Amino acid sequence: MERVKIENISLKNRVVNAVLWLGITKLLGQILSWIITIYVVRILAPEDYGLMGMAGVFIGFVILFNELGLGSAIIHKKKLAEDDISNIFWLVFLLNVALYLLSFIMSPLIAGFFNEPRLTAIIRVIAINMIISSLGFISYNMLTKGLTFSRRSQAEFIGNLSGGIATFLFAMNGLGVWSLVYGSIILTGVTNLLFNIYHPWRPRFSFSFSKIKEMFNFGLKVAIARFLWYVYTNSDSLMAGKLLGKTALGYYSLAFQFASIPLDKIVSLVSQVAFPAFSEIQDDAERLKSYFMKIIRFIAFVTFPLFCGIFLVADDAVILFLTEKWRPIIIPLKVLCIVSTLRAINAVNVPLVVAKGKPNIAMISNLIFAVILPIAFYLGSFYGLTGFSYSWLIVFPFLFLITTYLSLKTIGLSMMEYFKELRHIFVGSLFMVVSVIIIQETFLAGLGHLDRIIGASLTGAAAYLLYYFIFNREMLAEARAVLKR
């Protein structure tokens, strides 16, 4: 019993450390990246970024297939033989060489599609990143498997910094779009070199596909699930641009970007750590249930008030910070904030089922989203940007219930238990929203936009914390411990 308790504390400490390392290094990296980018943007021309964007559309799609989910297979498998790792390395390396050759051959066709001849050379050079990444593939995933995010984060931070500085120096020397290309090569090279330094490893010169067939089948299902995720997460922008036009797409894209900030900055960090943590305890049903619900509660506790806060100040913030011309994004932003509360906790379902060795559940879940959401977007488009946005609100909650039910079955957790654990989050968030609306309609009515934003923010924070102080001090203590750490 004492040993289990020690293991729980050890895993909890490693998970917290991993999230903190990821968060701190990504924050510092983001700040430095913004600073460098501002200077680079002042030097380069818009067409340089346009060319990189065109190349990125093609390369981004090809990268979906560059490891066929074998990274997840490495993290998921409890005991890895040295032969398994070597076989996976050679398979991934050869796959990336093949994808590079495909990109090399396809580059003139992509250039012709965009009517931009320079893309041929750009794609052929930037695609080298796939081969470089394959050389650090094993070390990256072994660092992740061991929850050694301090090392992994350091490598990524130094790589991003090196790439940013190189891009700036190349731009200063008049290399134009090639400063972005060469900068990305240096970023990838430095990062993967450090992965190998932090987790030294050398492959054996042998290969046997039969020895990793089971892992390959597992990874292939993960890769298909990722492809379906790519389809449904990009279908809204694709259909908005096609059905509503570029102006409406611009409004929608900005609204979606703001409504996704907590997802990108918080949920993505926790999800990265969740998968290796779940994989480590995949055979301990009770611990897995416990950790799954702890992570769900933590994500909901932090993100729900953030989404509610954006929802509550959207009217004033959009006009104050973006000016009157961006008023059309207010309703889509509010709607997407409501939906994003469910998107946040839904993000943990895939790491759970894959860690349990059920990637087929992730495939089915993403297939449901990939089929139903585009239909909803199409029907919603008949009612303009507002109808398009409301299609998320009408359909996503039902899809969330279905896919969450499928995920919870893998660990024997009922929907009743799941929502019972989240009851304080929902009620606390509702209490916050009602409190702010009352204050907005009484004491803050008639004030300026900035005063209303400040007043609403302070009221919301006070109401949310007050609810937990009265009804759930345990959650406050848990959050305080994480912040103290």
Side-chain angles (χ1 to χ4, degrees):
M1 190 71 174
E2 188 66 28
R3 181 171 153 275
V4 172
K5 185 177 180 180
I6 293 172
E7 287 177 352
N8 277 332
I9 295 172
S10 174
L11 181 58
K12 180 180 179 180
N13 287 340
R14 285 189 293 143
V15 168
V16 172
N17 282 336
V19 172
L20 291 178
W21 266 104
L22 275 174
I24 292 168
T25 53
K26 283 189 178 294
L27 176 61
L28 290 175
Q30 189 76 65
I31 292 171
L32 291 171
S33 175
W34 281 336
I35 294 171
I36 294 171
T37 299
I38 288 171
Y39 282 99
V40 172
V41 167
R42 292 167 69 93
I43 299 170
L44 300 183
E47 67 179 49
D48 295 327
Y49 284 94
L51 286 167
M52 278 296 286
M54 293 174 186
V57 170
F58 173 73
I59 296 297
F61 179 75
V62 173
I63 286 176
L64 285 172
F65 309 98
N66 74 333
E67 51 104 358
L68 294 178
L70 287 167
S72 296
I74 289 174
I75 296 169
H76 170 261
K77 191 167 184 179
K78 296 281 283 185
K79 294 181 180 179
L80 276 171
E82 192 63 32
D83 282 343
D84 293 335
I85 301 174
S86 289
N87 289 328
I88 289 175
F89 169 80
W90 289 115
L91 180 58
V92 170
F93 176 73
L94 293 173
L95 175 62
N96 279 274
V97 170
L99 289 174
Y100 174 78
L101 294 175
L102 176 65
S103 301
F104 190 95
I105 294 169
M106 292 286 291
S107 57
L109 299 177
I110 304 301
F113 176 80
F114 286 106
N115 195 27
E116 183 50 72
R118 287 178 292 176
L119 275 179
T120 299
I122 291 172
I123 289 174
R124 286 176 174 177
V125 175
I126 205 170
I128 294 172
N129 280 326
M130 291 188 290
I131 297 177
I132 297 174
S133 294
S134 70
L135 299 176
F137 172 78
I138 295 296
S139 295
Y140 169 86
N141 283 288
M142 292 304 291
L143 288 170
T144 304
K145 181 181 180 71
L147 288 170
T148 320
F149 281 87
S150 57
R151 293 293 193 179
R152 205 193 92 176
S153 298
Q154 289 172 36
E156 291 170 337
F157 175 77
I158 296 171
N160 282 317
L161 182 60
S162 301
I165 293 172
T167 300
F168 174 69
L169 294 175
F170 288 139
M172 287 285 290
N173 284 278
L175 269 66
V177 67
W178 289 102
S179 61
L180 300 172
V181 175
Y182 296 146
S184 75
I185 297 288
I186 290 174
L187 185 158
T188 305
V190 171
T191 303
N192 284 275
L193 174 62
L194 289 173
F195 286 154
N196 282 292
I197 290 174
Y198 290 149
H199 185 89
W201 176 83
R202 296 293 179 271
R204 296 177 179 177
F205 291 98
S206 62
F207 178 73
S208 173
F209 179 76
S210 61
K211 291 183 178 180
I212 57 168
K213 186 176 180 181
E214 182 180 342
M215 293 179 71
F216 176 80
N217 291 334
F218 177 93
L220 188 60
K221 292 175 182 177
V222 174
I224 294 171
R226 286 178 183 167
F227 173 74
L228 293 169
W229 172 86
Y230 179 86
V231 170
Y232 92 73
T233 54
N234 287 277
S235 62
D236 55 345
S237 295
L238 179 65
M239 298 189 74
K242 180 68 175 176
L243 301 172
L244 301 177
K246 61 183 180 181
T247 301
L249 174 59
Y251 289 135
Y252 175 80
S253 297
L254 192 62
F256 192 89
Q257 181 180 338
F258 284 135
S260 299
I261 288 174
L263 288 168
D264 297 336
K265 304 305 179 186
I266 299 172
V267 179
S268 64
L269 299 183
V270 179
S271 295
Q272 287 183 63
V273 179
F275 176 51
F278 291 160
S279 295
E280 185 171 319
I281 56 174
Q282 59 184 278
D283 297 326
D284 190 333
E286 291 307 312
R287 287 181 73 199
L288 184 55
K289 284 183 187 179
S290 174
Y291 270 89
F292 173 71
M293 287 311 308
K294 281 181 180 179
I295 288 177
I296 289 289
R297 284 198 308 271
F298 174 78
I299 288 177
F301 176 77
V302 174
T303 61
F304 275 42
L306 292 177
F307 288 124
C308 290
I310 298 173
F311 173 89
L312 291 164
V313 303
D315 296 84
D316 294 300
V318 169
I319 303 303
L320 177 64
F321 296 114
L322 303 182
T323 73
E324 188 70 32
K325 70 178 181 180
W326 288 100
R327 181 180 288 274
I329 80 167
I330 292 176
I331 293 179
L333 176 58
K334 287 187 165 188
V335 171
L336 290 169
C337 280
I338 297 172
V339 175
S340 291
T341 57
L342 298 181
R343 288 174 61 213
I345 53 178
N346 182 70
V348 191
N349 288 342
V350 169
L352 173 69
V353 297
V354 175
K356 279 295 292 180
K358 303 286 186 181
N360 55 305
I361 301 295
M363 283 173 52
I364 294 169
S365 297
N366 287 343
L367 178 62
I368 292 171
F369 283 118
V371 171
I372 303 299
L373 278 176
I375 296 174
F377 296 145
Y378 174 75
L379 296 174
S381 68
F382 287 104
Y383 302 93
L385 179 60
T386 300
F388 190 91
S389 304
Y390 270 106
S391 59
W392 271 106
L393 187 58
I394 294 170
V395 173
F396 192 86
F398 294 103
L399 301 184
F400 167 78
L401 290 174
I402 294 170
T403 56
T404 298
Y405 171 76
L406 294 174
S407 300
L408 296 182
K409 278 186 66 177
T410 63
I411 57 173
L413 192 67
S414 71
M415 293 290 281
M416 184 69 73
E417 292 174 286
Y418 179 81
F419 283 111
K420 183 180 179 181
E421 290 285 336
L422 293 174
R423 66 190 184 283
H424 285 297
I425 311 288
F426 285 109
V427 178
S429 299
L430 181 61
F431 177 72
M432 169 187 166
V433 171
V434 172
S435 300
V436 172
I437 290 176
I438 291 173
I439 296 298
Q440 282 178 325
E441 297 301 318
T442 53
F443 298 102
L444 301 180
L447 296 181
H449 294 302
L450 183 58
D451 293 331
R452 285 174 58 82
I453 292 171
I454 294 173
S457 301
L458 293 175
T459 302
Y464 193 67
L465 293 175
L466 177 63
Y467 174 86
Y468 277 93
F469 183 78
I470 297 173
F471 297 106
N472 191 8
R473 293 190 187 184
E474 183 182 339
M475 190 69 207
L476 276 182
E478 193 172 325
R480 194 184 303 118
V482 172
L483 290 174
K484 182 179 179 181
R485 188 179 185 85

mmCIF file of all heavy atoms in Angstrom, residues 68 104 176 225 249 268 324 346 401 403 441 444:
data_model
loop_
_atom_site.group_PDB
_atom_site.id
_atom_site.type_symbol
_atom_site.label_atom_id
_atom_site.label_comp_id
_atom_site.label_asym_id
_atom_site.label_seq_id
_atom_site.Cartn_x
_atom_site.Cartn_y
_atom_site.Cartn_z
ATOM 1 N N LEU A 68 3.668 7.498 -39.181
ATOM 2 C CA LEU A 68 2.578 6.506 -39.136
ATOM 3 C C LEU A 68 2.198 6.096 -37.714
ATOM 4 O O LEU A 68 1.887 4.926 -37.449
ATOM 5 C CB LEU A 68 2.950 5.268 -39.963
ATOM 6 C CG LEU A 68 3.089 5.499 -41.479
ATOM 7 C CD1 LEU A 68 3.499 4.217 -42.181
ATOM 8 C CD2 LEU A 68 1.798 6.031 -42.067
ATOM 9 N N PHE A 104 10.033 15.947 -53.601
ATOM 10 C CA PHE A 104 10.950 16.426 -54.638
ATOM 11 C C PHE A 104 10.294 16.324 -56.017
ATOM 12 O O PHE A 104 10.348 17.251 -56.834
ATOM 13 C CB PHE A 104 12.238 15.604 -54.602
ATOM 14 C CG PHE A 104 13.348 16.151 -55.444
ATOM 15 C CD1 PHE A 104 14.319 16.971 -54.893
ATOM 16 C CD2 PHE A 104 13.428 15.841 -56.806
ATOM 17 C CE1 PHE A 104 15.346 17.483 -55.666
ATOM 18 C CE2 PHE A 104 14.454 16.337 -57.589
ATOM 19 C CZ PHE A 104 15.421 17.172 -57.020
ATOM 20 N N GLY A 176 16.009 37.015 -48.249
ATOM 21 C CA GLY A 176 14.576 36.974 -48.542
ATOM 22 C C GLY A 176 13.905 35.737 -47.994
ATOM 23 O O GLY A 176 14.129 35.341 -46.850
ATOM 24 N N ALA A 225 -6.322 7.960 -37.245
ATOM 25 C CA ALA A 225 -7.072 8.839 -36.340
ATOM 26 C C ALA A 225 -6.593 10.278 -36.474
ATOM 27 O O ALA A 225 -7.391 11.220 -36.477
ATOM 28 C CB ALA A 225 -6.915 8.357 -34.894
ATOM 29 N N LEU A 249 -14.662 34.397 -43.975
ATOM 30 C CA LEU A 249 -13.613 33.499 -43.475
ATOM 31 C C LEU A 249 -12.653 34.267 -42.572
ATOM 32 O O LEU A 249 -12.208 33.752 -41.545
ATOM 33 C CB LEU A 249 -12.852 32.859 -44.632
ATOM 34 C CG LEU A 249 -11.637 31.997 -44.239
ATOM 35 C CD1 LEU A 249 -12.064 30.851 -43.333
ATOM 36 C CD2 LEU A 249 -10.929 31.471 -45.494
ATOM 37 N N SER A 268 -3.140 21.924 -24.785
ATOM 38 C CA SER A 268 -2.174 21.190 -25.600
ATOM 39 C C SER A 268 -0.981 20.737 -24.761
ATOM 40 O O SER A 268 -0.437 19.641 -24.979
ATOM 41 C CB SER A 268 -1.692 22.063 -26.767
ATOM 42 O OG SER A 268 -0.990 23.200 -26.302
ATOM 43 N N GLU A 324 -14.391 48.972 -34.481
ATOM 44 C CA GLU A 324 -15.754 48.683 -34.923
ATOM 45 C C GLU A 324 -15.822 47.768 -36.138
ATOM 46 O O GLU A 324 -16.790 47.011 -36.308
ATOM 47 C CB GLU A 324 -16.466 50.009 -35.235
ATOM 48 C CG GLU A 324 -17.945 49.890 -35.521
ATOM 49 C CD GLU A 324 -18.776 49.543 -34.299
ATOM 50 O OE1 GLU A 324 -18.401 49.959 -33.181
ATOM 51 O OE2 GLU A 324 -19.795 48.845 -34.470
ATOM 52 N N ASN A 346 -12.616 17.357 -24.083
ATOM 53 C CA ASN A 346 -12.636 16.311 -25.096
ATOM 54 C C ASN A 346 -11.228 15.955 -25.558
ATOM 55 O O ASN A 346 -10.963 14.828 -25.984
ATOM 56 C CB ASN A 346 -13.475 16.770 -26.292
ATOM 57 C CG ASN A 346 -13.584 15.714 -27.372
ATOM 58 O OD1 ASN A 346 -14.237 14.689 -27.199
ATOM 59 N ND2 ASN A 346 -12.930 15.944 -28.508
ATOM 60 N N LEU A 401 -20.765 13.901 -26.357
ATOM 61 C CA LEU A 401 -21.350 12.879 -25.486
ATOM 62 C C LEU A 401 -21.102 11.475 -26.042
ATOM 63 O O LEU A 401 -20.757 10.549 -25.295
ATOM 64 C CB LEU A 401 -22.853 13.120 -25.320
ATOM 65 C CG LEU A 401 -23.250 14.348 -24.501
ATOM 66 C CD1 LEU A 401 -24.764 14.545 -24.551
ATOM 67 C CD2 LEU A 401 -22.779 14.223 -23.052
ATOM 68 N N THR A 403 -18.686 10.420 -28.245
ATOM 69 C CA THR A 403 -17.272 10.026 -28.253
ATOM 70 C C THR A 403 -16.711 9.895 -26.832
ATOM 71 O O THR A 403 -15.858 9.044 -26.579
ATOM 72 C CB THR A 403 -16.439 11.039 -29.059
ATOM 73 O OG1 THR A 403 -16.630 12.356 -28.533
ATOM 74 C CG2 THR A 403 -16.862 11.034 -30.522
ATOM 75 N N GLU A 441 -25.122 44.672 -16.053
ATOM 76 C CA GLU A 441 -26.394 45.325 -16.347
ATOM 77 C C GLU A 441 -26.786 46.369 -15.302
ATOM 78 O O GLU A 441 -27.740 47.116 -15.506
ATOM 79 C CB GLU A 441 -27.502 44.263 -16.455
ATOM 80 C CG GLU A 441 -27.309 43.276 -17.597
ATOM 81 C CD GLU A 441 -27.254 43.970 -18.948
ATOM 82 O OE1 GLU A 441 -28.071 44.892 -19.173
ATOM 83 O OE2 GLU A 441 -26.394 43.601 -19.771
ATOM 84 N N LEU A 444 -22.105 48.460 -14.039
ATOM 85 C CA LEU A 444 -21.189 48.769 -15.136
ATOM 86 C C LEU A 444 -21.887 49.369 -16.348
ATOM 87 O O LEU A 444 -21.222 49.782 -17.305
ATOM 88 C CB LEU A 444 -20.440 47.498 -15.563
ATOM 89 C CG LEU A 444 -19.599 46.809 -14.478
ATOM 90 C CD1 LEU A 444 -18.923 45.565 -15.047
ATOM 91 C CD2 LEU A 444 -18.560 47.762 -13.919
#
